[in-house]
Amino acid sequence: MWMDILFGYICPSLGCLMSSAMYAAPVNELRCALKAGKLGALNSTPWAVMTGNAVGWCAYSYYAWDPFILASNIPGLVVSIWLNMGAAKLQYLQVRREHDESTQRQTQTGQPIQNESGIFVSQETILLRILIVWLSLLVCIGWLGVADGYEKVVVGVLANINVIFFYGAPLQTMQTVITEKSSESIHVPTMIMNLLNTSFWILYGVAEVDPVIYFPNIVGFGLGIIQLLLRLMYPVRKTRLAPLLQDIEGDGGATNASPLVTDDFPGELL
């Protein structure tokens, strides 16, 4: 009886809390980055994958009729949208800065002014591609009957693929970490929440005998251990937020001023 309660209710309930904490782990640093007006060392690519991950698991919760999976991913979907919006703002600001500097140089040298700024920034491109793929797949599965009778299995496999990319996304900086011998690009709060979150969902997946749940979390736990080892092997030389906080505190410590509030980027962006 108590085993059923522990693994069937307590573990997934704690998993819901850890999932929300994992999704929200980068919120404070993005807030500081928005005040500073630049991403700095923040790796925003996982945030786009995070949105796809939340969409996929919300869809799986429908076919599996699992309220715990749904409750653990709805907050992540909302938070991930805000993270992507914030990253896109900062990338647009960087593009505008580079464009203004390029225009100034061309004006000074007498060269023809060329507008090389694009419509989309990288964060938007990644996010839109992921959403287009997921929405197309869900339409095919849910409306066109492509996986008739096997919807749960197919959506589960697709969610597994996405979650593995999500857990492994921070490892794209592995080469940089090893080359520079600094793990600054590994976000520690997210790493810790990943380890705790995957632990609870592994126990729940095993109790429910559902490989769709426990398999990707075993992979995520292993990838989290790799990040932890890299963090221990290559300690951070300087704090990630130090440059951002210096920018925020510049000009006599005017922390209330935001670099995003300019003539070209009005305060409504925040």
Side-chain angles (χ1 to χ4, degrees):
M1 175 68 71
W2 68 270
M3 292 289 288
D4 294 336
I5 296 175
L6 175 63
F7 294 111
Y9 294 94
I10 296 178
C11 282
S13 297
L14 292 175
C16 290
L17 296 176
M18 291 300 102
S19 293
S20 298
M22 177 189 67
Y23 285 127
V27 166
N28 185 57
E29 291 196 1
L30 177 59
R31 182 181 62 83
C32 293
L34 286 168
K35 288 185 177 182
K38 59 182 178 180
L39 278 172
L42 283 175
N43 179 16
S44 62
T45 301
W47 302 344
V49 185
M50 182 190 298
T51 302
N53 180 63
V55 170
W57 285 109
C58 284
Y60 180 76
S61 70
Y62 170 77
Y63 289 108
W65 203 248
D66 193 319
F68 291 111
I69 296 178
L70 180 64
S72 66
N73 286 280
I74 288 180
L77 181 60
V78 176
V79 171
S80 68
I81 291 173
W82 180 80
L83 291 172
N84 283 287
M85 290 172 60
K89 293 174 188 177
L90 295 173
Q91 290 178 355
Y92 266 117
L93 185 59
Q94 180 63 31
V95 169
R96 184 54 183 265
R97 285 178 182 145
E98 294 175 354
H99 171 71
D100 291 343
E101 292 174 359
S102 175
T103 301
Q104 185 177 5
R105 287 194 302 268
Q106 292 171 356
T107 301
Q108 293 175 349
T109 58
Q111 298 177 353
I113 298 177
Q114 299 178 354
N115 185 5
E116 299 178 353
S117 59
I119 299 176
F120 299 106
V121 291
S122 60
Q123 192 71 26
E124 292 176 318
T125 301
I126 299 172
L127 177 63
L128 289 174
R129 287 175 178 175
I130 291 174
L131 289 178
I132 289 172
V133 170
W134 262 117
L135 293 175
S136 300
L137 290 171
L138 292 177
V139 168
C140 292
I141 295 170
W143 286 81
L144 302 182
V146 173
D148 188 25
Y150 298 93
E151 292 88 352
K152 176 183 174 182
V153 175
V154 173
V155 173
V157 170
L158 295 173
N160 269 264
I161 295 173
N162 198 131
V163 76
I164 290 174
F165 276 104
F166 171 61
Y167 286 135
L171 293 180
Q172 64 179 307
T173 60
M174 182 185 298
Q175 184 177 358
T176 303
V177 171
I178 297 175
T179 301
E180 298 181 357
K181 300 187 184 303
S182 173
S183 58
E184 182 184 3
S185 58
I186 295 179
H187 189 242
V188 175
T190 300
M191 177 190 70
I192 295 174
M193 290 300 104
N194 278 347
L195 290 172
L196 294 175
N197 178 56
T198 52
S199 299
F200 288 117
W201 288 109
I202 289 172
L203 295 175
Y204 177 63
V206 172
E208 293 293 315
V209 196
D210 191 344
V212 172
I213 297 176
Y214 67 72
F215 173 74
N217 285 287
I218 290 175
V219 175
F221 185 82
L223 293 174
I225 293 296
I226 294 176
Q227 294 180 63
L228 177 61
L229 292 176
L230 287 174
R231 187 75 181 186
L232 295 175
M233 291 171 59
Y234 303 105
V236 179
R237 296 177 181 176
K238 58 184 179 180
T239 60
R240 181 197 306 267
L241 292 180
L244 299 180
L245 295 176
Q246 289 176 1
D247 291 338
I248 297 173
E249 295 173 356
D251 299 329
T255 57
N256 293 327
S258 172
L260 290 182
V261 184
T262 65
D263 293 338
D264 299 309
F265 292 84
E268 284 75 6
L269 284 174
L270 299 177

